[in-house]
Amino acid sequence: ILLIYVPFADIPLSLRALGLKTQDFSKGVFWGVMGWLANVPFLTFLIPIGFFFRWIPSREHPVVTQVAESEAWLPVFLTGSLLAPIAEEIFFRGCLFQGLWVRTRRMVLSLLISGLLFAGMHPQGGMALPGLAWVGIMAGFLTYQTGSLMPAIVMHMLHNTSLLLLLRFLLT
């Protein structure tokens, strides 16, 4: 439904209105790469903090078992590296973060809520919660600063790609 023009409360709702813009594509890619690189020291710091949240139930992400299977590797890699970041960014930064921002006009609150909900929907549980929340917060910040989802999508793609490649390397 988001692929067509949908008027909502006198606001045109479309992928373009949500921030999926192709103008300044190279600028969006640049800021996405910079966001991904900026995440590295923060995630390195947040990984040990995750141990304080290990009491939150967790389960293994289904991708972990699929990455080890040679037949499933390519479809899982493409889905996790390309499709999932696009869909998640359209929902969490395009709809949720920007909707919260429009309603509350409180950027920090909007970033925290959308980042925590983003982290909470992943099955990895408490230990991954701080790192995933940070990735969501950074994606929201990039969206806010640039007015586009492109940097958040690129950052998310690079994040997932690097994790999937690392996981594949460790499991094979």
Side-chain angles (χ1 to χ4, degrees):
I1 194 165
L2 292 176
L3 297 176
I4 59 173
Y5 174 84
V6 180
F8 177 73
D10 296 327
I11 299 171
L13 184 60
S14 65
L15 289 176
R16 183 167 176 74
L18 292 175
L20 198 60
K21 303 171 186 171
T22 54
Q23 66 194 39
D24 296 328
F25 181 79
S26 58
K27 183 178 172 184
V29 170
F30 172 78
W31 284 112
V33 171
M34 292 298 107
W36 175 68
L37 290 172
N39 276 344
V40 173
F42 286 100
L43 292 174
T44 303
F45 172 74
L46 290 170
I47 288 170
I49 291 175
F51 285 101
F52 293 108
F53 296 96
R54 65 177 178 243
W55 55 271
I56 297 174
S58 66
R59 65 181 209 269
E60 186 174 75
H61 197 292
V63 167
V64 172
T65 55
Q66 294 170 343
V67 165
E69 299 172 15
S70 60
E71 302 85 33
W73 162 244
L74 187 58
V76 168
F77 179 77
L78 293 175
T79 301
S81 294
L82 300 174
L83 299 178
I86 293 170
E88 289 177 3
E89 293 309 320
I90 288 171
F91 177 75
F92 284 99
R93 262 51 74 184
C95 297
L96 184 61
F97 165 70
Q98 292 184 80
L100 288 167
W101 166 244
V102 166
R103 294 264 187 217
T104 66
R105 286 294 182 208
R106 295 185 175 155
M107 185 185 63
V108 173
L109 179 66
S110 301
L111 287 172
L112 286 173
I113 290 172
S114 64
L116 287 170
L117 288 174
F118 171 75
M121 75 91 169
H122 287 84
Q124 292 94 322
M127 290 195 46
L129 188 68
L132 285 167
W134 175 258
V135 169
I137 289 167
M138 178 64 100
F141 183 73
L142 285 170
T143 300
Y144 174 78
Q145 286 295 110
T146 64
S148 171
L149 288 177
M150 191 58 65
I153 290 170
V154 169
M155 182 201 72
H156 196 153
M157 285 179 170
L158 290 171
H159 176 79
N160 284 10
T161 299
S162 59
L163 288 178
L164 285 169
L165 289 174
L166 179 64
L167 188 60
R168 175 72 175 178
F169 175 76
L170 292 173
L171 293 176
T172 55

